[in-house]
Amino acid sequence: MSDPQHVLAARVQAALGAAFGEPDADPVIRPSQFADFQANVALPLAKKLGRKPRDIATEIVAHLDVSDVCEKVEISGPGFVNLTLGPGWIAGQAQEMLGDARLSVEKTDAPQTAIVEYSSPNIAKEMHVGHLRTTIVGDAIARVLEFAGHHVIRDNHVGDWGTPYGMLIELLLDVGEGSEQAKLLETDPNAFYQAAREHFDSDPEFAQRSRERVVKLQAHDADTIRHWERLVDLSKIYLHKVYGRLGVTLTDDDIRGESFYDDMLGDIADELQAKGVAVISEGALCVFPPGFTGRDGDPLPVIIRKSDGGYNYSTSDLATIRYRVDKMNVDRMIYVVGSQQALHFQMVFAVARMAGWLPDGVSAEHAQIGSVLGPDGKIFRTRSGKSIKLTELLDEAVERAGAAFDEVPHDEPFDGETRRQVVEAVGIGAVKYADLSTARGSEYVFDFDRMISFRGNTGPYLQYATARIRSIFRKGGLSPEEATGPIVLGHEAERALALHLLGFGAAVHQTGETTEPHRLCAYLFDLASAYTTFYENCPVLKAPDEATKASRLALCALTLRTLGKGLALLGVATPERM
RNA sequence: GCGCCCAUAGCUCAGCUGGAUAGAGCAUCGGACUUCUAAUCCGACGGUCGGGGGUUCGAAUCCCUCUGGGCGCGCCA
């Protein structure tokens, strides 16, 4: 336990128990501008006990045992208890963190099985900027929860079933698997989809074959399934490429697409009807969860089975919930999906609860992802109105990172291959970090210049901070692992840096609980800022004496590992040099 | 009409689930490289937190209401 906030909370709580018999009261420890932290509990407690806040504060302090942690405790204002940590304690905790493989980040004491559904592209189509954000944010959430000690199941709920596949299969059969056009599935699936669409719209014979193919597909005709599998396999090659380049942890094993649930849909419909939850309305089997109304004020249905007998994605989502609860025993489901689908998920969750498939002990959360906007403030698209190709977007980011790289002098020369790797890491990291650093539900304006800037809360700034630290170790002729301290805090910048380092675990856990990676981003940016102040004020290799040098090297090593681990949890690479 | 998200500095965004004097980056202005990477740093300027009520010791934060935006709302996913 190195997080000062938790340590102080426990101590103040003990004091509350001893003084007032209120060991369960929240001590309300917050960062303070007048000290390191302040306990605000005296004010609400005074209200509850009908006494003066300052008297309460005085009594808390009288019972407070923090002599080993704090160097100063004082009461100020109406009853705030200001707590200033002792440099010795901070140094000791930092030293412990340095020696711990997990950087003193404790595993949760309440581990859950959490399934994170993210990315989930429709594999018939090209991924675009919208998929980018759900993919990146979802991957970060999965990594963070895993590190926090939860059992994480990644779930790529791809769209791999339904009406479009009739025409896609027919086109694939027409052009042949080895053809140039079929290769589009591996490089530009959207182009293949659009070609199929064109045939479908212009060629009645093709359209007819496509419809027949859909029927065969849904009837699990063996030959058709074989073609469909081939089509899906080709599309996976494209997914591999994109995920590989992005450094996303999704694998084929994580793909559990809509097709997986297809044979459960009939059961879902039957059971809902048998339970009396679903009713026939206008020829379709519907559930009307209470509290949802449509445009005209009428109850809004979740359509379970269309009037033509087909199923749509609500049914598939219900089957998914039931499967995850019954077969996978998940405690928590996290849907990293665009905010446009908020209403859909509310209704599906409501139906699942009505049907008894989603028990109270299992949480289902829609981690809403805001849209990415273009410079005009509208959904990011090209001039022609098409969605922007992901690969082209990444290429441009890398190209711009390369231009910035070439503009500035470097302390050591780079060979071509190293330059290529660095620029790739910076360009991709910039795009990913931009997606992660704004609150996930917020829309944000996509701006290359801002995200590739080396100032402010950006990926490159954080990467640069790690590169500068590594540079110190190279120049000093030792590895970060060799810097073991002891850590002694003299300069104010050293103290501030060390104190900030201790907050890493809290930032990680908070990020996992809220599924909000931007909190971790904010922590890392503040950490990098604290390091930069230290860097400007405290010479490391030219420290005044050996003890100071050893301590500062240890702080550098600890900062490097913390930034590196934090960025790794976000899925952002950290090049050795820049 | 209903639901979700949003409105904070000229611009782009934070604000840690109610704490003391609301913060960053960009832009503007002024400084710092014979010094571990200046792709950096330090200052200055800049906000009646959309309006109005309420809850209480205390509100950008919670509740209500109004205004103004974005998105979604029966057989697409």
Side-chain angles (χ1 to χ4, degrees), chain A residues 116-123 126-140 154-159 238-240 242-243 246 248-251 254-255 334-338 341 367 369 390:
Chain A
V116 185
E117 175 179 320
Y118 66 105
S119 194
S120 311
N122 188 320
I123 63 172
E126 159 88 351
M127 289 179 84
H128 54 80
V129 216
H131 289 124
L132 183 65
R133 181 127 99 134
T134 58
T135 302
I136 286 165
V137 173
D139 204 45
R154 291 167 173 76
D155 192 322
N156 195 358
H157 195 78
V158 299
Y238 171 76
L239 282 185
H240 282 166
V242 173
Y243 292 152
L246 284 172
V248 165
T249 57
L250 285 169
T251 66
D254 302 317
I255 294 179
I334 298 164
Y335 292 78
V336 187
V337 179
Q341 299 202 37
I369 304 298
L390 184 54

Side-chain angles (χ1 to χ4, degrees), chain A residues 171-214:
Chain A
L171 180 61
L172 182 60
L173 289 175
D174 284 358
V175 299
E177 279 184 20
S179 68
E180 279 304 304
Q181 202 166 355
K183 283 208 172 64
L184 283 175
L185 284 165
E186 302 173 30
T187 55
D188 186 0
N190 207 36
F192 189 87
Y193 175 84
Q194 279 168 355
R197 182 90 235 170
E198 232 166 81
H199 277 80
F200 189 88
D201 291 338
S202 62
D203 181 350
E205 187 268 335
F206 181 86
Q208 184 54 34
R209 270 163 46 207
S210 297
R211 289 197 196 91
E212 287 165 7
R213 186 60 75 179
V214 173

